[in-house]
Amino acid sequence: EVQLLESGGGLVQPGGSLRLSCAASGFTFRTHTMIWVRQAPGKGLEWVSSINAAGDDTYYGDSLKGRFTISRDNSKNTLYLQVNSLTVEDTARYYCTRRASLREFDYWGQGTLVIVSS
Amino acid sequence: IVLTQSPDFQSVAPKEKVTITCRASQSIGTTLHWYQQKTDQSPKLLIKYASQSISGVPSRFSGSGSGSEFTLTINSLEFEDAATYYCHQSSRLPDSFGQGTKLEI
């Protein structure tokens, strides 16, 4: 059974940093592009970042202004998102998801909640 | 690529049929997918590549379209279909989502 389990969220002050993790199991992690998607409270889905299977090709949403860094450790079946210089607008649930063969997102984690507040 | 869904909200009775539209700001072929998100749950893939069904998803859900206009149709609505529905394009990075359509049954 495919499972994606995010962690690392929490309450952080504006300007702070967090490292989000997504532990994958039940599939061959090293063969899949992985994605982070976020959802602000009461709002829609926002694509954040992607990383290819090898980990050497990354993309970011236009609004992130270089503050986020996606990475992966295929030996640990884990995806990461380093988030820096956080603002209140970054308050959201951050989901880890797997990209499948037709570029759809076929499995999602339960998300980890990041709250940016003073 | 901007995806615009319509309507934003719809209230329908059980056993009725509903159609949700997703329009792309440019042609995306058929790289358009649909998700269902129930309250306090993660999104769930409903339809991939505009019209391809997903194992385990009830047959009352279907998708169509190509280019820049797509539809998600739900036949014979059930109470459990109450959710927000999102379209998603993966034709060109960065991927993007529609703003969502909230369905009340």
Side-chain angles (χ1 to χ4, degrees):
Chain A
E1 178 191 5
V2 171
Q3 289 194 349
L4 299 170
L5 185 61
E6 301 93 334
S7 60
L11 176 63
V12 60
Q13 292 188 337
S17 299
L18 284 173
R19 189 193 198 198
L20 309 183
S21 300
C22 172
S25 60
F27 67 102
T28 307
F29 180 73
R30 67 180 182 274
T31 63
H32 286 266
T33 290
M34 298 297 294
I35 315 290
W36 287 100
V37 173
R38 70 181 181 181
Q39 186 171 36
K43 303 297 184 182
L45 303 171
E46 180 186 6
W47 186 94
V48 171
S49 183
S50 70
I51 186 167
N52 69 341
D56 56 4
D57 197 13
T58 60
Y59 290 91
Y60 299 92
D62 294 338
S63 65
L64 302 180
K65 301 178 183 176
R67 299 182 294 115
F68 289 14
T69 303
I70 192 172
S71 62
R72 64 191 297 162
D73 186 336
N74 287 342
S75 69
K76 295 182 179 180
N77 291 343
T78 302
L79 173 72
Y80 301 101
L81 186 69
Q82 178 70 39
V83 295
N84 299 327
S85 303
L86 286 162
T87 72
V88 293
E89 288 74 30
D90 296 315
T91 294
R93 182 167 292 275
Y94 287 72
Y95 293 101
C96 159
T97 180
R98 183 182 87 162
R99 198 178 79 179
S101 59
L102 294 179
R103 303 173 63 91
E104 76 277 22
F105 301 160
D106 61 348
Y107 288 95
W108 297 66
Q110 86 292 343
T112 187
L113 183 61
V114 172
I115 300 174
V116 184
S117 175
S118 54
Chain B
I1 295 175
V2 177
L3 298 179
T4 304
Q5 291 180 229
S6 60
D8 290 334
F9 175 85
Q10 189 159 4
S11 182
V12 292
K15 300 187 180 180
E16 288 188 350
K17 168 183 163 180
V18 68
T19 298
I20 299 170
T21 299
C22 177
R23 290 188 173 85
S25 58
Q26 55 188 277
S27 179
I28 57 172
T30 53
T31 49
L32 189 286
H33 322 290
W34 291 96
Y35 303 84
Q36 175 193 65
Q37 186 179 32
K38 296 183 179 180
T39 302
D40 295 328
Q41 294 187 16
S42 303
K44 171 188 172 183
L45 179 64
L46 282 182
I47 298 288
K48 63 182 179 182
Y49 223 60
S51 61
Q52 294 190 18
S53 59
I54 303 298
S55 174
V57 174
S59 58
R60 62 181 181 275
F61 292 92
S62 63
S64 65
S66 66
S68 61
E69 186 156 336
F70 302 85
T71 59
L72 172 70
T73 300
I74 314 173
N75 288 296
S76 192
L77 280 156
E78 299 187 5
F79 283 111
E80 67 180 25
D81 299 332
T84 300
Y85 294 84
Y86 295 93
C87 57
H88 156 228
Q89 72 81 19
S90 56
S91 173
R92 208 159 296 155
L93 284 167
D95 291 29
S96 49
F97 293 91
Q99 81 278 14
T101 295
K102 186 171 184 178
L103 196 59
E104 177 185 87
I105 312 298

